[in-house]
Amino acid sequence: MRRRYLAAVAFAVSVGVVAALLTGTAAAANDPGAAKANSRWLATKLKPDGTLENPNGGALPDHGLMLDVLFALYASGDGAKAEPIMKFLDDEGHATDYFTWDGLVPGAGYDKVIVGGSLAKTLVAAEVSGRDPRNVDGYDLVAETHGAIMRKGPDKGRISDYSKDPDLAGAVNNDANSFGQALGVVGLAAAGENDRIAIDRLLAQQCSEGYFRLVFEYIPTKETGDHVTPDGRKVSTCDEGKPLDLSPTDGDATGLALSALLAARKAGATGLDAPIAKTVSWLKANQASGGGWGGGVSTEAPNTNSTGMIVQALADAGGAEAAVDKGVRYLKSAQANAADSGTKLAGELGAIAYNPASYEAARASGISGVDTWIRAGAQASLGLSQVGFYALAKGEAQPPTSGTPAPTTTTVITKPVTPPPKPGKAGASTGVRVRTSTAIATPDTATPAARLGAYLANRLTDGDHVEVTEDGRTYVDYDATADVVLALRALDQQPDSVARASQFLVKPEAVQAYAHGAPYEQGEASYAGPLAKLVLVAEFAKADVAGRLRADLVKLRGAGGEFTDTGSFADADETVERHAWAVLATAADPGPAVELLLSRQCADGTFPKHLDTVECGSGDLAATAAAVTALAARPHTDAAPPTRRPDGWSERRVSAFVSAVGALGVRPTGEGVVTGEGGEPDVALSAAVAAARQTAGLDASGTARSLGALVQADGGLAKGSAGETDFPTSLAAAQGVAGRSWLTAADSPLSPAIRLPLTEANPSGAPVLAAEQSGSPPSWLIWGLAGLAVLLLLTVIALVFVLRRSTKKKGATP
């Protein structure tokens, strides 16, 4: 998302889950809940001994697929479910059945024949599962992988199929391909033993366009030397193979090779920046319009198997957030979910089909060919978890511990106080530094809002900005600072801290870093999301810079109403939330931006997460809260919002607003809380929904009471049931604890333009809305019934009038 490049575009710090105050959420591309659902499904397909039947028959199980499942289970945080696999391979001595020929003909000396790709994959699996890679089934897999790399001859640098016994050498064809090469590079990198000739041989499989081919192909040559075979052939580079049609594109090989290069670079290998950048560019340019990628020959069409591998690698590389996000949406479009309970996929929750068409077919006919679903899901799940192979092999993955996805996730990237040497993607381990001045204290009897306000103010370093630390470096988090300002505005707490943080944000150097990418952008750049927040912060503070900031924002608005970033680190991920911020900041003259937002409303009144979703049946609750807030806003006025169509509003806007607010009323419980899949309160989403409904004139006091009760002794709120105070969750909770949106706070530059329920005395003919929509019929039905009621009333009045005239003519007394 854009926030990966906010504030000086350092790519610097992934700060967990700081939620945006407008909606309460800004979903990151990964979906750990969906990954866990798939892991639960995959685990049920393992036999008790950890094996999977080989669909090609034979006595041996499908070792390769078993390891794919192991990778998926560990990436989702469900590694314990994979323990039977490694027990079978290591403790029970079956690993050699996979990476040697011994399992095919036991006792015939074929344990001397090494299958290079299988060996490399077993090494990575041992590392991922926490086993000693130097003692698996009696083998030192690190040493064996080094040994499988040919040191001379035509296959120099290649992780090969070969025989340690010269007498069997003639029986072995070297069929090792780029998959095994990439896995070997990953495994050795994780072991801290990069082998440069293996890395270089992998790079030779990359064509100048950026993709990697799968097969090592021989071509005729007149060259001489060690690299030439006795019959005058050599292993070609990818470009050398193209004229002979020996270098077809392969999405799978490219995705896995990217993971390998990233691992090697993290382990200290140099000279890989350009190949990595070229790979990322090719993958981004070759994503299908639906969000998926295809593999190689015979699997060129988009599929979840290839897409999962590629999404994992692109997420690890960084700089491709929009592509990653679309890829995740493609993966989830083929995954069985709760909505399938009434179909043939009931009971298959989490399973992922090979493509969306197969998923739709299975809804009607059930799963056909479970092996294909296992293969698809095992790699697709990697794209949902988005744990890079290097982190996975190093045991550094930190997946969620709950089966419920994190309710609010925004990756916040910040400008460093002491800039790093150059932009670079840092790790995921960060911490928020607390203020260095005397901490603000509140009595135990203080209101939840006061205690939360003090907690948030105490997160401001030096009382005016949020800082984070990463690998010993300190960074200013401008985005979180702006969110703290708006949170405290909603809470009506800590005015001194609000004033100081606002002043910090509107300083020229802060504006240049946060909204224009200084010092990393080489040319002019502007980012819509940061500019919008800065406009609102500046207008709250009545700072003169607000007008200039808004002018910069309007320059980014296109003829169709979209806001397009400029610069090397422009945000290509068009979310409804980001658009809503921009609409709010330009509320005095939104141009076509409102109509663009209205055109994206789903059939059930909700709004999708992404602005590029043209048609949808049902959308996202957080995005809907953002849209409601944006649609409701007008420049501040002391006049009370009307209960009928505001001046300048079209009937379309009224009906869209009414149906969206109605959709928000479906999920909260009687206490105003939205619950997640596990039944726990979703604090951030509850706060976002409550704030949007309060903006529309509905009561949010139930949410304020419920979330207020969750405020802990230190003033913060916990994420889930863990019990430990969490800054991002606390920040996202502010509007819910306050029971109101920052838009209705004191000194807000905006105010609501409409208040629900609408009255029937509405010259526009806009519909009546019940005071609460929870459990109500569809809005079209309400409107129709309202119109029918008015028609019946007019008919009755007319009938009474006629009867009265009739009785007068007969001499009756009135």
Side-chain angles (χ1 to χ4, degrees):
M1 298 181 69
R2 243 241 34 88
R3 289 212 178 107
R4 289 188 186 272
Y5 307 109
L6 299 181
V9 199
F11 285 82
V13 185
S14 176
V15 192
V17 288
V18 177
L21 265 289
L22 171 65
T23 65
T25 69
N30 70 322
D31 194 327
K36 280 184 169 291
N38 181 247
S39 288
R40 287 192 290 268
W41 184 85
L42 288 173
T44 65
K45 305 309 171 187
L46 293 172
K47 294 182 179 180
D49 63 355
T51 62
L52 290 167
E53 186 174 346
N54 195 322
N56 296 321
L60 297 178
D62 194 331
H63 295 98
L65 183 56
M66 290 158 58
L67 296 188
D68 286 337
V69 170
L70 180 144
F71 296 151
L73 295 179
Y74 272 95
S76 70
D78 297 288
K81 292 182 172 65
E83 180 58 25
I85 298 174
M86 284 308 297
K87 182 178 179 182
F88 176 83
L89 294 174
D90 187 9
D91 300 346
E92 298 179 13
H94 294 292
T96 52
D97 294 347
Y98 180 43
F99 65 78
T100 76
W101 285 7
D102 191 49
L104 298 173
V105 186
Y110 286 134
D111 58 330
K112 301 295 183 182
V113 176
I114 302 296
V115 182
S118 300
L119 171 66
K121 194 168 187 176
T122 308
L123 167 60
V124 176
E127 293 168 333
V128 169
S129 62
R131 298 278 174 141
D132 180 2
R134 296 187 180 276
N135 184 18
V136 174
D137 196 5
Y139 282 73
D140 182 341
L141 298 183
V142 177
E144 291 288 346
T145 302
H146 281 300
I149 301 171
M150 299 296 102
R151 303 292 164 176
K152 59 183 179 179
D155 290 319
K156 181 178 178 180
R158 185 175 172 188
I159 297 175
S160 300
D161 301 341
Y162 77 106
S163 174
K164 296 178 181 180
D165 184 350
D167 292 338
L168 296 175
V172 181
N173 288 325
N174 190 4
D175 295 324
N177 57 32
S178 292
F179 290 160
Q181 192 77 18
L183 286 167
V185 170
V186 170
L188 293 176
E193 298 189 14
N194 273 339
D195 202 320
R196 189 71 212 195
I197 63 170
I199 297 170
D200 289 342
R201 177 57 81 176
L202 178 61
L203 288 173
Q205 290 289 86
Q206 184 177 33
C207 271
S208 54
E209 295 88 342
Y211 71 86
F212 284 74
R213 67 178 183 181
L214 176 62
V215 179
F216 289 88
E217 294 284 5
Y218 282 84
I219 61 172
T221 182
K222 294 182 179 180
E223 298 173 10
T224 59
D226 179 57
H227 65 290
V228 180
T229 65
D231 61 349
R233 297 187 305 144
K234 70 169 186 175
V235 177
S236 65
T237 66
C238 187
D239 281 337
E240 288 173 334
K242 284 193 294 185
L244 300 174
D245 293 328
L246 298 176
S247 300
T249 61
D250 194 296
D252 295 309
T254 304
L256 190 55
L258 176 57
S259 290
L261 296 181
L262 292 169
R265 185 170 68 178
K266 291 173 183 177
T270 59
L272 300 181
D273 290 355
I276 287 172
K278 192 161 55 174
T279 309
V280 170
S281 295
W282 186 87
L283 287 171
K284 288 166 64 176
N286 286 273
Q287 184 176 26
S289 58
W293 282 271
V297 177
S298 80
T299 62
E300 301 96 332
N303 62 83
T304 58
N305 188 290
S306 302
T307 300
M309 184 71 71
I310 291 169
V311 166
Q312 178 199 44
L314 286 177
D316 194 18
E321 282 68 27
V324 167
D325 201 37
K326 290 180 180 179
V328 169
R329 281 186 275 161
Y330 175 83
L331 294 173
K332 293 181 65 177
S333 72
Q335 183 174 29
N337 56 67
D340 295 316
S341 59
T343 74
K344 293 286 188 176
L345 283 177
E348 306 288 357
L349 181 67
I352 300 176
Y354 183 71
N355 53 38
S358 298
Y359 160 71
E360 291 295 340
R363 296 184 85 234
S365 305
I367 290 179
S368 176
V370 68
D371 174 75
T372 301
W373 285 66
I374 297 173
R375 291 180 191 281
Q379 289 189 188
S381 183
L382 299 176
L384 298 173
S385 299
Q386 292 176 25
V387 179
F389 258 113
Y390 183 74
L392 200 57
K394 291 287 287 183
E396 295 173 353
Q398 297 180 353
T401 57
S402 168
T404 302
T408 61
T409 53
T410 289
T411 303
V412 177
I413 300 305
T414 63
K415 177 190 181 294
V417 174
T418 52
K422 63 179 181 178
K425 190 173 192 288
S429 174
T430 63
V432 177
R433 297 182 64 209
V434 299
R435 61 186 292 132
T436 56
S437 55
T438 304
I440 300 169
T442 56
D444 294 339
T445 57
T447 65
R451 288 156 53 207
L452 177 56
Y455 170 86
L456 294 176
N458 282 330
R459 307 281 79 78
L460 296 172
T461 301
D462 296 332
D464 63 7
H465 65 280
V466 177
E467 288 186 5
V468 293
T469 56
E470 168 69 16
D471 295 333
R473 293 183 180 273
T474 301
Y475 303 86
V476 177
D477 191 335
Y478 292 99
D479 199 54
T481 303
D483 285 347
V484 168
V485 168
L486 295 178
L488 293 176
R489 291 284 190 185
L491 292 165
D492 196 20
Q493 297 292 325
Q494 305 299 327
D496 290 343
S497 296
V498 169
R500 293 183 63 183
S502 298
Q503 184 179 20
F504 177 90
L505 286 169
V506 299
K507 289 179 179 178
E509 57 268 31
V511 172
Q512 286 301 309
Y514 184 27
H516 300 292
Y520 297 104
E521 289 282 9
Q522 299 302 307
E524 292 188 3
S526 291
Y527 312 137
L531 279 170
K533 283 193 180 182
L534 286 173
V535 167
L536 298 168
V537 168
E539 288 193 326
F540 255 119
K542 299 178 173 58
D544 294 338
V545 72
R548 179 171 60 81
L549 292 168
R550 182 182 292 103
D552 287 345
L553 176 60
V554 171
K555 290 178 183 177
L556 302 180
R557 188 173 64 201
E562 71 285 353
F563 290 84
T564 305
D565 291 356
T566 62
S568 301
F569 304 104
D571 179 12
D573 188 18
E574 299 288 342
T575 64
V576 165
E577 178 199 3
R578 171 181 172 276
H579 187 75
W581 278 113
V583 171
L584 287 164
T586 57
D589 182 20
V594 168
E595 288 302 316
L596 176 61
L597 181 61
L598 294 176
S599 70
R600 297 304 189 256
Q601 190 171 28
C602 300
D604 66 351
T606 59
F607 283 79
K609 285 185 178 181
H610 302 274
L611 202 63
D612 60 2
T613 303
V614 179
E615 295 183 2
C616 53
S618 184
D620 176 75
L621 209 60
T624 305
V628 165
T629 305
L631 291 174
R634 61 177 171 179
H636 179 74
T637 173
D638 291 330
T643 56
R644 54 186 184 179
R645 187 177 77 177
D647 294 339
W649 277 42
S650 64
E651 292 192 21
R652 179 188 184 189
R653 183 170 177 176
V654 173
S655 62
F657 179 75
V658 169
S659 59
V661 175
L664 289 178
V666 174
R667 283 282 300 278
T669 65
E671 295 76 32
V673 174
V674 180
T675 56
E677 291 182 4
E680 292 184 350
D682 188 329
V683 172
L685 193 53
S686 298
V689 169
R693 284 167 57 82
Q694 190 270 335
T695 300
L698 303 180
D699 181 32
S701 60
T703 305
R705 288 190 299 270
S706 297
L707 296 190
L710 299 179
V711 174
Q712 304 201 115
D714 63 356
L717 285 86
K719 176 183 175 182
S721 59
E724 184 176 345
T725 302
D726 180 65
F727 172 64
T729 301
S730 304
L731 183 55
Q735 296 184 103
V737 173
R740 68 175 179 187
S741 167
W742 58 261
L743 188 143
T744 59
D747 299 321
S748 174
L750 303 173
S751 59
I754 188 172
R755 179 173 60 83
L756 300 180
L758 300 183
T759 62
E760 62 265 32
N762 190 337
S764 74
V768 176
L769 178 72
E772 293 294 335
Q773 290 272 330
S774 180
S776 63
S779 56
W780 62 265
L781 180 57
I782 296 174
W783 306 342
L785 291 175
L788 181 60
V790 172
L791 180 62
L792 289 174
L793 178 61
L794 292 175
T795 302
V796 170
I797 292 173
L799 181 60
V800 170
F801 179 75
V802 170
L803 289 174
R804 290 187 65 185
R805 287 180 58 87
S806 175
T807 56
K808 279 183 177 289
K809 286 183 179 181
K810 294 179 181 179
T813 57

